[in-house]
Amino acid sequence: MSGAEAPDAVDSRRPLWVVPHEVPAIVPLPSRSTEPRWVGVYRWAAVGGDLLAAMLGVSIALLTRFGYHVGSSYLVVSSVLPLAWVAAVALSKGYDSRFYGAGPDEFRSLLRAGVGLTAAVAMTSYVTKAEIARGFVVLAIPVMVVAALLLRYALRKDLHRHRVRGRCMHRVLVVGRSGPAATLCEHLESRPTDGFRVVATCRPRGDSNGPMQPEELAEPDILAAADRHAVEVVAIATDPELAGQLLRRLSWALEQRGIELIVSPGIIEVAGPRISVRPVAGLSLLHLERPSVSGGPHLMKAVFDRVVALGIVAVFSPLLIGLALAVKLSSSGPVLFRQQRVGRAGTEFTMLKFRSMYVDAEERLSDLYALSDGNGVIFKMRNDPRMTPLGRWIRRFSLDELPQLFNVLRGDMSLVGPRPPLAEEVALYAADDSRRMLVKPGMTGLWQVSGRSDLCWDESVRLDLRYVDNWSMTLDLLILWKTVRAVFYGAGAY
């Protein structure tokens, strides 16, 4: 039924979605077993990259350990190791198309393969009593893993460029009622690099609560809609009517068609590591781990922060001294700008920055509020007349924030965390916003690598809450890595 026709009336005697109870084996079914061409290209490119990384690791290990005098036994080992590496990656699901271009699982599979291959080589050496030099193994496999990670990262970035242009996408049919289906569509298409393109939505009979995008379907038969639009993925939005045996039969039918089934539980802004599936009484129950805001992990984070901050101060001390002299000589006033900010649990502290404005900046602020380019809560101006020429330059590359390293050493701040707010900003917080103060504020964070001052207030809060709920050392390292790029390009810095 087309979107222009009236939807069927709700009939309480039949299910909202029509799914066959069973599909006889003799009935020919539409097949999606043939993968899209881009999947095969990506997989072979990944295999080629892994072989190249393995040969690079083996070559470096041989030359470093033996020079140009390599025994025949090591030539055999060097020939087998690249094939063993590809097999280890395959066993770790490193070539699973579900993970192409989205999420960390593709990279985790390479790390698992490295650990597994090391264990396999050690066990084989012990069982066969083969004398394989530890130096060879310790050098070959880490180089192999690092090279494979870099090559896979480059391959993923190339895939992302294609997806931004609308290519290499998975065709998706979204099933659900108007509200949840529209929300799921919005989330699936918010990041084209994840590779989902919603081509149709399928609603239950009688559900006419507003228009559906991109194409409204009143067709009640999910399988017919999936076949009609040649989709590769069926995404189920949260709905109590589409569960239990109905959902189970649907999964069977889609399996025979080679179509993937994904189900959205309606939980947003919760990262995968906090979610686990627990089988209870024949049910698959989602369990949400409590976010880690204290205890051992945060002690490790505090130690990491201080060690890294101390190292940065030691390495960049000439730069810090040079900037201090430049600020002192370029305009009158103190070198450091001190401001009270609110930290963890509402505790106030004095945040340090290199002064980037004239000394009367605070007195002139009231005259400029009407010209704010900020987000309604935070005052920002792209061309702030209170800023000194040097201050404009050091803000462009976030160099004015380097003295906050001493805040990190004192324990007031972290390297990564939510943005440190002013007391007047905290006074405007909604109930949910105050959750940002469960952890220490950071020199950088998700807000820093996602647009900084270009973000609206709601987006800034959403990113900070996402960080608090999903904190991990891996996330911190990823944000620190992305911060370097954000600072280099200077996007949103003013």
Side-chain angles (χ1 to χ4, degrees), residues 22 59 103 132 147 232 250 253 296 306 326 341 422 443 465 469 486:
E22 57 181 283
S59 300
I132 300 178
E232 298 153 0
L250 175 62
R306 285 175 168 84
R341 296 292 181 108
L422 295 165
M443 290 182 62
L465 293 179
D469 285 341

Side-chain angles (χ1 to χ4, degrees), residues 394-426:
I394 62 176
R395 278 204 178 189
R396 166 71 173 76
F397 296 102
S398 300
L399 296 176
D400 61 318
E401 298 177 3
L402 286 177
Q404 292 172 25
L405 290 167
F406 295 100
N407 287 117
V408 175
L409 291 174
R410 291 192 312 198
D412 298 326
M413 295 179 64
S414 175
L415 291 175
V416 182
R419 176 186 169 275
L422 295 165
E424 50 265 34
E425 294 171 9
V426 175

Side-chain angles (χ1 to χ4, degrees), residues 36 48 50 132 147 198 216 240 246 274 361 378 417 432 440 447 462:
D50 291 341
I132 300 178
V198 179
E216 181 175 286
L246 184 63
R274 282 188 56 207
I378 302 173
D432 292 343
K440 292 179 183 178
W447 49 274
R462 186 179 68 84

Side-chain angles (χ1 to χ4, degrees), residues 140-223:
I141 294 181
V143 171
M144 194 183 301
V145 172
V146 171
L149 286 170
L150 293 175
L151 290 172
R152 192 66 69 92
Y153 177 78
L155 185 60
R156 172 177 282 213
K157 285 300 177 184
D158 183 64
L159 177 61
H160 287 176
R161 285 191 289 269
H162 284 287
R163 284 178 169 175
V164 168
R165 297 184 180 95
R167 300 192 291 266
C168 304
M169 306 291 279
H170 297 288
R171 295 171 59 84
V172 181
L173 169 69
V174 171
V175 180
R177 297 184 183 276
S178 297
T183 301
L184 182 56
C185 288
E186 179 183 350
H187 280 275
L188 288 177
E189 297 195 318
S190 62
R191 292 193 356 177
T193 53
D194 286 345
F196 292 106
R197 176 192 292 146
V198 179
V199 296
T201 57
C202 186
R203 301 184 311 175
R205 297 186 179 100
D207 182 21
S208 56
N209 299 326
M212 297 292 293
Q213 296 295 332
E215 177 186 343
E216 181 175 286
L217 291 178
E219 171 58 67
D221 192 339
I222 301 172
L223 299 179

